């Protein structure tokens, strides 16, 4: 989230965004400075973990050194699909759908939140 203007402490706030892949652990950070979110990074593998730091910068200098957070590159459609699908009719307006799924995290290609029925 962008800083509220009351926290700027000087004009021209920008954001120094640094990132590097979590694995393999290298000491080389990529960097971009932007005036506002978002920062879009291309040519990354699907749903891969990254170390990320975002630091406020203005005419007075840099803000405090930010902590590292873990974020992920973009998700994609899963390569696995539900198996053993079963439907139980509960009443005239409700059904229960159940399935099994062999989870291989690399095949999910993101956070599995469910399937659209």
């Amino acid at each position: 989230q962008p800083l509220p203007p009351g926290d700027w402490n000087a004009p021209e706030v920008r954001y120094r965004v640094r990132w590097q892949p979590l694995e393999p652990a290298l000491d080389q950070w990529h960097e971009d400075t932007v005036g506002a979110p978002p920062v879009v990074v291309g040519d990354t593998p699907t749903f891969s973990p990254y170390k990320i730091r975002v630091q406020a910068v203005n005419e007075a200098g840099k803000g405090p050194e930010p902590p590292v957070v873990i974020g992920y590159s973009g998700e994609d459609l899963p390569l696995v699909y539900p198996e053993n699908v079963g439907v139980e009719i509960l009443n005239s307006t409700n059904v229960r759908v159940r399935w099994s799924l062999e989870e291989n995290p690399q095949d999910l290609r993101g956070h599995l939140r469910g399937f659209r029925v």
Side-chain angles (χ1 to χ4, degrees):
Q1 294 292 332
L3 285 173
D7 292 339
W8 286 12
N9 298 321
E12 301 295 325
V13 167
R14 297 177 312 285
Y15 301 93
R16 178 181 178 219
V17 181
R18 301 171 64 207
W19 67 94
Q20 74 174 157
L22 188 62
E23 297 293 334
L26 303 173
D27 199 27
Q28 180 181 356
W29 289 82
H30 302 276
E31 183 174 316
D32 195 5
T33 301
V34 297
V39 173
V40 178
V41 178
D43 296 325
T44 60
T46 302
F47 200 66
S48 296
Y50 282 82
K51 295 181 203 174
I52 302 170
R53 292 180 172 205
V54 179
Q55 183 177 36
V57 179
N58 60 26
E59 292 176 357
K62 296 177 183 176
E65 188 66 29
V68 171
V69 296
I70 304 299
Y72 289 83
S73 57
E75 296 180 283
D76 201 351
L77 294 174
L79 297 174
V80 293
Y81 300 97
E83 298 174 348
N84 305 315
V85 177
V87 177
E88 177 183 354
I89 299 173
L90 301 176
N91 58 41
S92 63
T93 59
N94 292 299
V95 297
R96 178 178 292 134
V97 179
R98 295 177 190 209
W99 67 84
S100 62
L101 182 66
E102 290 187 27
E103 289 189 43
N104 178 354
Q106 294 172 338
D107 291 341
L108 289 177
R109 297 174 23 165
H111 292 294
L112 181 63
R113 293 178 187 92
F115 290 97
R116 189 173 299 211
V117 178

